[in-house]
Amino acid sequence: MTDPHGGTALPQERRLVTAVPGPKSQELMARKQATVADGVGTVMPVFAKRAGGGVLEDVDGNSFIDFGSGIAVTSVGNSATEVVRRATAQLEAFTHTCVMVTPYEPYVEVCEQLAELTPGDHAKKSALFNSGAEAVENAVKIARVYTKRHAVVVFEHGYHGRTNLTMALTSKNMPYKHGFGPFAPEVYRVPVAYPFRWLTGPENCAEEAAAQAISQIEKQVGAENVAAVIIEPLLGEGGFIEPAKGFLPRIERFAKDNGIVFVADEIQSGFCRTGHWFACEDEGVVPDLITTAKGIAGGLPLAAVTGRAEIMDAAHAGGLGGTYGGNPVACAAALGSIHTMREMDLASRARRIEDVMKPRLQKLAEQHGVIGEVRGRGAMLAIELVQPGTKDPNPEATAALAKACHQEGLLVLTTGTYGNVMRFLPPLVIGEDLLNEGLDVLEGALASL
Ligand SMILES: *Cc1c(COP(=O)(O)O)cnc(C)c1O
């Protein structure tokens, strides 16, 4: 497949034909408000009609440049040719048998691909699920049954999902946890090496944060009680935080020395997003277990836990699974998505996106005191917004900037513990002209703040 935009027929252009939101979106939004629970929020109040390559078209005919990919999901583009072709063929053959009743080849093939693509050359096995949160929950189940221990260690600013156990693992109260407790026990949170906000400055951040984290585990939990340490190699919802270099390998070593299962949650950072198949490859970290979802299947719901065969096999037969986990249509879509990533070398496309975007973002940071830091890797980039001249978070400017971008036809997402990070997650198949035009829109919106 050589089509540069993943096979979409949609015109690759930004086009505004109504105000944002347009009349049809407003009408649909009224229906949504009447019938969809308020808890299901909306980032940009337009209704999608079609999407592909680097654009999303709404019901009013506006075409937005997509810097969100449905939260790092449609890395191969929406309705990418190979995803559609394989999922369609699977839909016509059969839609569901339940893998625990009658298995099927696409499930096994996805697990074979995961064994090949994830870091490390040890024997690996996988189990497939429907959502990222479900994968993280299962990683905890597997680590507990393998180690016969209970405690789970997670990190400040971490995000792992919205189910009861994963809410407990998630750091941020509002909106993810507020009012939804009580949460699962035996979860302990320790510091992460966040260079921009480390009190003594970024220089010794990795060492000091690792020492604090390890000391807290030893003193408050006891290393011998810890089943798993779970970390995002590049933190997503916490604000696209890159742990200072050296932090991850130090935590990995501590886990190995103490018989703790080291789990990399690569649900957002995986599948070529950061310029490699997985973000932990940047520091040569080889997790015992790795959780994946989002980018894996071009938009269909699929998630996985992949890891050392002896750990994965610790759970008894029938102990893992679910009615829909590893649905055949989602597996076929994943095989199409993985094929596309290999064929188009989307990891290097992600690095190219960084090469185009980062210098321009850095230039904007020099011109606008409101940008405190530019960070991220590959096509997982962000700016952290502050009160100029300080490091005080500026969520108001972040929200205003996002709104201004939306109104000019650029779909952007915000994130971060303090709500002051604007993140950029374009589909890896986006054209370079659109990428630059998106940055032009951002530049104009910043100037208008
Ligand atoms: C999105 C995300 C999850 C949760 O995935 P869902 O599919 O929404 O359940 C877990 N961990 C990380 C790092 C994520 O970004």
Side-chain angles (χ1 to χ4, degrees):
M1 196 183 68
T2 50
D3 186 292
H5 304 305
T8 184
L10 272 189
Q12 295 297 296
E13 62 181 16
R14 178 171 66 105
R15 184 179 67 244
L16 292 174
V17 295
T18 70
V20 176
K24 287 184 178 152
S25 279
Q26 288 183 38
E27 214 178 292
L28 283 164
M29 191 56 77
R31 281 171 57 194
K32 174 178 183 284
Q33 269 156 5
T35 195
V36 177
D38 287 350
V40 182
T42 301
V43 169
M44 189 171 84
V46 305
F47 276 70
K49 182 159 187 197
R50 302 188 295 177
V55 300
L56 182 148
E57 209 177 275
D58 76 5
V59 289
D60 290 289
N62 300 303
S63 175
F64 295 83
I65 298 174
D66 183 6
F67 275 12
S69 301
I71 319 189
V73 170
T74 51
S75 297
V76 293
N78 250 293
S79 304
T81 308
E82 275 300 292
V83 171
V84 172
R85 190 180 71 76
R86 294 183 192 221
T88 305
Q90 183 58 51
L91 269 170
E92 282 167 355
F94 63 93
T95 49
H96 173 84
T97 62
C98 185
V99 78
M100 302 180 300
V101 177
T102 319
Y104 35 86
E105 187 176 355
Y107 189 112
V108 177
E109 215 179 323
V110 169
C111 296
E112 288 167 351
Q113 293 286 329
L114 285 164
E116 193 184 317
L117 294 172
T118 53
D121 48 19
H122 48 276
K124 291 175 207 155
K125 290 197 171 183
S126 293
L128 305 183
F129 304 97
N130 302 295
S131 70
E134 213 188 330
V136 174
E137 289 231 3
N138 278 278
V140 172
K141 280 168 66 172
I142 293 163
R144 282 178 171 161
V145 76
Y146 174 74
T147 59
K148 302 185 174 67
R149 303 171 178 180
H150 291 159
V152 179
V153 170
V154 289
F155 293 82
E156 283 172 5
H157 307 288
Y159 179 85
H160 302 289
R162 296 170 179 271
T163 57
N164 186 265
L165 175 56
T166 58
M167 277 192 293
L169 302 176
T170 288
S171 187
K172 190 178 177 181
N173 176 49
M174 200 62 172
Y176 306 125
K177 305 167 75 163
H178 189 76
F180 300 144
F183 303 111
E186 286 303 313
V187 173
Y188 301 90
R189 199 176 324 285
V190 298
V192 75
Y194 183 172
F196 183 68
R197 296 199 173 275
W198 196 251
L199 276 181
T200 59
E203 294 74 26
N204 303 316
C205 171
E207 248 164 70
E208 290 175 13
Q212 280 185 26
I214 290 167
S215 164
Q216 281 187 24
I217 295 168
E218 286 174 337
K219 299 292 173 276
Q220 298 175 21
V221 194
E224 69 276 23
N225 297 318
V226 179
V229 167
I230 308 177
I231 189 162
E232 302 161 78
L234 202 163
L235 285 77
E237 304 302 306
F240 282 28
I241 300 163
E242 293 177 84
K245 242 187 169 34
F247 182 78
L248 282 177
R250 182 73 195 86
I251 299 296
E252 179 197 24
R253 186 152 18 98
F254 172 77
K256 291 209 162 121
D257 290 347
N258 289 280
I260 299 168
V261 177
F262 181 87
V263 184
D265 181 349
E266 293 248 17
I267 287 169
Q268 192 156 163
S269 57
F271 282 100
C272 299
R273 181 50 60 186
T274 64
H276 295 288
W277 280 97
F278 296 97
C280 60
E281 291 173 51
D282 269 310
E283 288 192 85
V285 167
V286 177
D288 297 317
L289 300 181
I290 180 165
T291 53
T292 53
K294 293 197 167 90
I296 193 175
L300 276 85
L302 189 72
V305 183
T306 302
R308 294 184 190 279
E310 70 272 19
I311 301 179
M312 293 298 296
D313 281 340
H316 45 275
L320 305 176
T323 307
Y324 293 119
N327 168 271
V329 180
C331 285
L335 295 171
S337 170
I338 292 167
H339 174 87
T340 305
M341 289 181 183
R342 287 184 193 275
E343 194 87 340
M344 296 179 70
D345 189 8
L346 291 188
S348 48
R349 292 278 286 261
R351 295 196 291 275
R352 175 66 193 158
I353 288 171
E354 176 178 346
D355 289 344
V356 172
M357 290 190 78
K358 221 172 185 178
R360 285 199 62 184
L361 292 172
Q362 270 152 353
K363 194 154 163 253
L364 290 175
E366 283 161 26
Q367 294 161 350
H368 299 277
V370 77
I371 302 178
E373 189 178 50
V374 176
R375 59 174 180 254
R377 298 202 290 274
M380 188 169 178
L381 301 171
I383 51 178
E384 176 158 358
L385 277 72
V386 294
Q387 308 289 345
T390 73
K391 285 191 177 181
D392 298 343
N394 197 339
E396 300 79 15
T398 312
L401 186 61
K403 191 163 182 210
C405 289
H406 296 162
Q407 281 169 344
E408 289 302 319
L410 175 66
L411 200 176
V412 286
L413 306 172
T414 61
T415 188
T417 298
Y418 313 104
N420 68 327
V421 174
M422 179 166 283
R423 57 175 152 176
F424 308 108
L425 292 162
L428 305 180
V429 295
I430 193 171
E432 230 162 278
D433 43 352
L434 278 187
L435 206 54
N436 275 305
E437 191 177 336
L439 289 164
D440 294 342
V441 172
L442 177 72
E443 195 172 332
L446 264 168
S448 75
L449 263 192

